[in-house]
Amino acid sequence: MNTVIFTIIVALIIGFLLGLLLGLFKKIFAVEVDPKVAAIREVLSGANCGGCGYAGCDSFAAAVASGQAPVSGCVAGGAGCAQAISKIMGVEGGAAVKKAALLLCQGSTECAKSKGIYNGVKTCKAANLAVNGTKLCAFGCIGYGDCEAACPFGAISMGAKGLPEVNKEKCVGCGKCVKACPKHLFTLQDVSVKGPVALCSCHSDNKPQIAKDCSAGCFKCGICAKKCPQGAIDVSGGIPKVDYTKCDSCGTCIASCPKKVFKMISDIM
């Protein structure tokens, strides 16, 4: 009986001493936290989406407090978050640019022909590695929804026609889908920009093959650039690119494109 009591007393003394030592070490090795970091972290969205370019909200808060990141960097938080951080930092708030994911492909199951039956792992990444995609167009959307799985906000869903559909109300422009797509078909588009955008990512210059593979593909006729009264379209890179500093949203490219590749950003964002 005495042995049991002695053991309990010794265990309590050891536990007490360890507690004192842990408290002492905590005080000695404590890292002082900038109160601004904690305050900024409190107003962030908490999504840890990485849209700011940092590993998570904690890293972003520390970067803002040290002046290494802009106060408007939290894409999930939007303008309200930027204003709150500006007040904490005592600076003028930078305008939070609203961006949303835009799919640069119209190669649905109705338009783009399939290579055949794919029996591998049903992910876009796997299909791209195994057979360079499931469609004859090597640049087209594979359609297995890696973007949907990667979106932390539930803003992307696979549509009935085999293409991902973006809910612009839910999308915060974090860029997860941009990284997840092995065909690089997503871009983050500033929703305030006026003018058209070419919804195709096929860089091939084989016009007959493009027309055969996808009825919605741009086959590089160059009519859009020739017809544009402002000279705002460049097709030298294979895909029509619009210079929005010149574009006046006249819609000539939309009307003249035989494949209906162009859409007004305001109509789809």
Side-chain angles (χ1 to χ4, degrees):
M1 186 68 180
N2 290 335
T3 303
V4 173
I5 294 174
F6 178 75
T7 302
I8 293 173
I9 292 173
V10 171
L12 289 173
I13 293 172
I14 293 174
F16 177 73
L17 291 174
L18 288 174
L20 286 177
L21 288 172
L22 287 173
L24 180 63
F25 289 153
K26 182 179 179 181
K27 187 173 182 179
I28 293 174
F29 296 106
V31 177
E32 187 175 347
V33 178
D34 187 342
K36 286 184 178 180
V37 175
I40 293 170
R41 182 64 182 84
E42 186 67 24
V43 301
L44 294 178
S45 68
N48 284 312
C49 61
C52 57
Y54 291 85
C57 294
D58 290 338
S59 299
F60 174 69
V64 173
S66 63
Q68 297 177 0
V71 296
S72 59
C74 179
V75 294
C81 180
Q83 291 173 2
I85 297 175
S86 299
K87 187 177 293 185
I88 294 169
M89 294 297 293
V91 298
E92 290 292 328
V97 178
K98 169 62 177 175
K99 292 186 177 183
L102 177 63
L103 181 70
L104 300 179
C105 179
Q106 297 186 104
S108 67
T109 51
E110 295 179 347
C111 304
K113 294 183 179 180
S114 172
K115 288 181 178 179
I117 298 174
Y118 172 67
N119 293 317
V121 177
K122 297 299 191 293
T123 67
C124 300
K125 183 177 181 180
N128 188 55
L129 287 171
V131 292
N132 194 28
T134 57
K135 295 173 181 174
L136 290 178
C137 175
F139 303 90
C141 175
I142 297 171
Y144 284 131
D146 287 18
C147 50
E148 179 183 24
C151 179
F153 301 97
I156 299 178
S157 59
M158 293 305 299
K161 296 181 180 180
L163 290 178
E165 298 175 352
V166 180
N167 184 323
K168 302 306 185 300
E169 299 302 318
K170 293 182 178 181
C171 181
V172 301
C174 70
K176 289 285 188 179
C177 56
V178 176
K179 296 177 181 178
C181 180
K183 293 296 186 181
H184 310 294
L185 297 178
F186 279 98
T187 185
L188 293 181
Q189 176 64 52
D190 182 348
V191 299
S192 65
V193 171
K194 307 296 181 183
V197 62
L199 301 181
C200 182
S201 295
C202 178
H203 288 273
S204 171
D205 58 1
N206 188 334
K207 297 179 182 180
Q209 190 63 47
I210 294 171
K212 180 181 178 181
D213 293 345
C214 180
S215 61
C218 171
F219 60 90
K220 321 302 181 290
C221 64
I223 292 177
C224 54
K226 296 172 184 175
K227 294 280 188 178
C228 180
Q230 305 299 326
I233 299 177
D234 177 28
V235 294
S236 61
I239 298 296
K241 297 294 181 183
V242 180
D243 183 345
Y244 295 109
T245 63
K246 297 179 180 179
C247 178
D248 63 0
S249 303
C250 68
T252 301
C253 55
I254 295 176
S256 61
C257 179
K259 288 300 190 78
K260 306 302 178 186
V261 169
F262 282 95
K263 295 286 188 299
M264 279 293 180
I265 293 175
S266 57
D267 292 338
I268 55 178
M269 299 297 286

